[in-house]
Amino acid sequence: MDEQMKALVLRDGKAVVESRPVPQAGPGEVVVRTTAASLCSADVACVGGEFPTPDGTVLGHEAVGVVHEIGDGVTGFSVGQRVTTASTTPCGQCANCQRGFTGHCGGVAWGGYTFGVSRDGSLAEYFTVPHASYNLVAIPGAVSDEAALCVPDTLSSGSTGPEAARIPLGGTVVVFGQGHVGLAATMAARALGAGLVVTVKARPGGEELAKRVGADHALNLAQHDIESEIRQLTAGMGADCAIEASGVIESFPRAVAVVREGGVVAVLSSYSGPDDATLPIPLAQWGWGIADKTILSTFQRCGSERMGRLLRLVETGRLDPTVLLTRRYRFDDVERAFTDAAARTPGHIKPLITF
């Protein structure tokens, strides 16, 4: 009989723990024994049906662990070595990957073989990393599991917007949304040399955390005239860059409005709605199409080389993502961790789940 493991699985619209066979490493694969994992609103969306996920899929896309088994053709790793991978695991060889759009590996418009959505995920005692030579990365000895855990999705996704926007040294950045991705975007904007970082939330609360991770000003829609105040903070010019990480459609036109002529709007969000839904662009603030404003739709940049760079920022103390891990659980209590994440309790950003 195959050796069994526990895994959190999407089953009939619920997240439940089931027994599964421990996976075996095929060619090009590495099986990792999980030591710590997390989850976020994307996992909740999979269970809620917002992301089309096959019934029976193992959930989870954020984990660290140690190499358990190495498949044929994989070199550079050893059993027992501490490793992690981005939540998106592309092949690195198809046309989209070779053009730099690894998040859309194989022509997939959303997902690019993302754990817990288009393949079995990592909220399990063991998980498989495909195309391991491209995706798997060793964790530096000075980086704890706790710190490394925020790299596979939170930092990988949140940093994509500021990096793609090419923030000028000393430039001004506005980040809409301060969930885990927005907070990571705030961190990354500061690390990339932004001179002024402004965060925007719908409601008051979380200002201290936003400033702790890099914000100079933490605003909210309930108490502030966002466009007017950002103009004042930028000497009337508007921001060089706006990062839309809230996932709220109404934030998109606000992001267009607050950037200066020649500015960049980088969208990190995945918006939901009917097939004929549209994202409104405020024509006056867009300069009626002649303000040289760039709108980027971005998906997580991944691969072992990029993951290594993010881990280096953690290793050298440039980034400390552990402040985003606000509750702790054992894997035996993973169903409660999922329920707590789905409840969106104020102040709860991400769980740390240990095995």
Side-chain angles (χ1 to χ4, degrees):
M1 183 176 179
D2 293 334
E3 184 181 0
Q4 298 290 298
M5 67 173 187
K6 298 292 187 182
L8 188 69
V9 175
L10 170 61
R11 184 66 68 192
D12 298 326
K14 297 180 181 180
V16 299
V17 174
E18 293 184 358
S19 290
R20 289 290 186 88
V22 173
Q24 296 181 333
E29 297 178 342
V30 167
V31 174
V32 177
R33 177 175 61 81
T34 313
T35 56
S38 190
L39 56 85
C40 74
S41 56
D43 300 293
V44 176
C46 289
V47 174
E50 296 175 52
F51 295 156
T53 307
D55 195 61
T57 299
V58 177
L59 298 167
H61 54 278
E62 306 164 83
V64 300
V66 297
V67 173
H68 173 70
E69 184 184 6
I70 301 172
D72 292 342
V74 180
T75 61
F77 297 97
S78 58
V79 172
Q81 186 176 15
R82 296 172 64 235
V83 291
T84 189
T85 179
S87 59
T88 304
T89 51
C91 71
Q93 299 176 5
C94 69
N96 275 357
C97 284
Q98 290 189 53
R99 294 178 66 207
F101 304 116
T102 52
H104 311 299
C105 177
V108 179
W110 189 98
Y113 305 128
T114 298
F115 284 118
V117 179
S118 49
R119 60 171 298 112
D120 276 340
S122 52
L123 272 170
E125 293 177 301
Y126 297 84
F127 66 96
T128 302
V129 179
H131 311 292
S133 295
Y134 186 90
N135 293 301
L136 198 66
V137 62
I139 300 172
V143 177
S144 67
D145 281 4
E146 184 176 348
L149 181 58
C150 295
V151 176
D153 181 50
T154 297
L155 284 179
S156 294
S157 297
S159 61
T160 293
E163 190 174 26
R166 298 181 181 272
I167 296 169
L169 186 65
T172 55
V173 179
V174 180
V175 182
F176 288 85
Q178 288 293 277
H180 72 111
V181 172
L183 287 163
T186 302
M187 291 183 186
R190 179 65 76 197
L192 285 167
L196 177 71
V197 179
V198 181
T199 60
V200 178
K201 290 184 60 182
R203 295 173 294 276
E207 290 85 358
E208 182 180 345
L209 181 57
K211 291 181 178 180
R212 184 174 177 183
V213 301
D216 297 291
H217 300 272
L219 310 180
N220 65 77
L221 298 174
Q223 298 174 323
H224 300 268
D225 182 336
I226 300 301
E227 186 175 351
S228 175
E229 292 193 35
I230 289 172
R231 292 285 170 181
Q232 292 177 23
L233 290 170
T234 58
M237 298 298 294
D240 293 300
C241 173
I243 309 294
E244 209 305 273
S246 72
V248 178
I249 290 177
E250 289 78 11
S251 285
F252 176 75
R254 294 189 186 104
V256 174
V258 301
V259 296
R260 64 188 297 167
E261 291 81 1
V264 176
V265 177
V267 180
L268 288 175
S269 299
S270 171
Y271 300 110
S272 60
D275 291 342
D276 60 351
T278 59
L279 287 176
I281 297 177
L283 291 180
Q285 291 88 340
W286 192 39
W288 292 275
I290 59 171
D292 288 302
K293 295 187 179 185
T294 299
I295 298 173
L296 298 172
S297 61
T298 58
F299 190 72
Q300 181 191 86
R301 294 183 175 182
C302 48
S304 59
E305 191 277 336
R306 186 169 191 271
M307 290 287 288
R309 287 189 277 115
L310 294 174
L311 285 165
R312 188 179 303 127
L313 289 169
V314 176
E315 181 183 23
T316 56
R318 269 52 168 200
L319 296 177
D320 177 15
T322 59
V323 297
L324 306 183
L325 298 171
T326 48
R327 293 187 183 179
R328 296 172 180 265
Y329 306 82
R330 292 290 298 172
F331 185 64
D332 290 344
D333 209 13
V334 67
E335 290 181 0
R336 184 168 67 89
F338 182 89
T339 299
D340 290 348
R344 301 180 184 272
T345 306
H348 180 31
I349 307 298
K350 294 190 70 63
L352 169 64
I353 302 165
T354 54
F355 287 69

